[in-house]
Amino acid sequence: MSKPKLATVWLDGCSGCHMSFLDLDERLIEIGERADLVYSPLVDTKDYPDGVDVCLVEGAVASEEDLAKIRLIRQRTRVLVSFGDCAVTANVPGMRNPIGVRPLLERAYLENATLNQQLPSEVVPRLLEKAMPVHMVVDVDVFLPGCPPSADLIYAAVDDLLAGRRPDVSHRARFGL
Ligand code: SF4
């Protein structure tokens, strides 16, 4: 029997949730034996594949690139997990929402720049008007809160999902959160 396909995705987040995932330490080996990690910042695959069973999505949806990516991921994923507070609530990326895109870019690229003051016109993905939690854009199956979620909480959720169970994160206190 083939192993479930697992993916992790990094949208607009600080990568702290992925760092917490790495804190699974030796449990990563166990997860690697139970699932195929088919797409992640931690592996070299460039294209999100079809037929992913479980995907952990870190970060808010904040740019046109994020938007296109999360829509594709939703189409190709059976169980989509909002992974960490930026995905669940927009959290830190959402702090720029009251400012507006234009003043934000001017502050970053003109006022605070000492060299080459200019607004980006290529390479940098175009920002959406607001940074949004993932569930405002696509359906989410499981919410995994925390900034970042602890390694124990991540393990409990992934363990459940790979076993075909729906994770119950209502007992977060168990993990000291
Ligand atoms: Fe970073 Fe916290 Fe956002 Fe995770 S939830 S990406 S740790 S700011």
Side-chain angles (χ1 to χ4, degrees):
M1 201 172 105
S2 62
K3 293 193 265 187
K5 292 180 185 172
L6 176 66
T8 76
V9 170
W10 180 12
L11 301 180
D12 190 3
C14 74
S15 89
C17 292
H18 273 84
M19 294 299 109
S20 198
F21 184 80
L22 290 178
D23 283 341
L24 291 175
D25 298 329
E26 67 275 12
R27 289 174 291 185
L28 288 171
I29 297 170
E30 183 215 313
I31 288 173
E33 288 168 349
R34 294 169 60 193
D36 288 327
L37 188 61
V38 294
Y39 183 92
S40 173
L42 311 173
V43 300
D44 201 28
T45 316
K46 303 293 184 229
D47 297 317
Y48 195 86
D50 275 319
V52 173
D53 292 293
V54 175
C55 178
L56 307 181
V57 180
E58 173 192 315
V61 181
S63 68
E64 290 178 358
E65 183 180 275
D66 293 340
L67 190 59
K69 197 184 256 188
I70 195 65
R71 285 178 172 153
L72 179 81
I73 287 165
R74 178 65 278 185
Q75 284 171 14
R76 297 183 175 181
T77 306
R78 195 167 56 79
V79 179
L80 190 75
V81 182
S82 256
F83 177 33
D85 283 351
C86 291
V88 174
T89 70
N91 196 29
V92 176
M95 290 178 181
R96 59 97 161 165
N97 288 349
I99 299 170
V101 170
R102 181 83 192 186
L104 182 82
L105 292 175
E106 287 177 354
R107 182 73 172 160
Y109 288 96
L110 303 180
E111 294 165 30
N112 281 347
T114 49
L115 289 173
N116 299 325
Q117 291 104 330
Q118 58 181 318
L119 296 180
S121 58
E122 53 189 32
V123 180
V124 178
R126 191 187 296 268
L127 291 179
L128 300 173
E129 202 50 45
K130 307 271 186 205
M132 293 177 285
V134 174
H135 66 272
M136 282 188 68
V137 179
V138 296
D139 288 340
V140 168
D141 302 297
V142 175
F143 293 87
L144 199 54
C147 182
S150 71
D152 287 342
L153 184 64
I154 296 168
Y155 178 76
V158 172
D159 178 50
D160 279 344
L161 289 165
L162 294 182
R165 298 185 297 266
R166 188 172 187 83
D168 179 3
V169 295
S170 60
H171 301 301
R172 296 169 67 218
R174 202 158 36 114
F175 305 108
L177 293 170

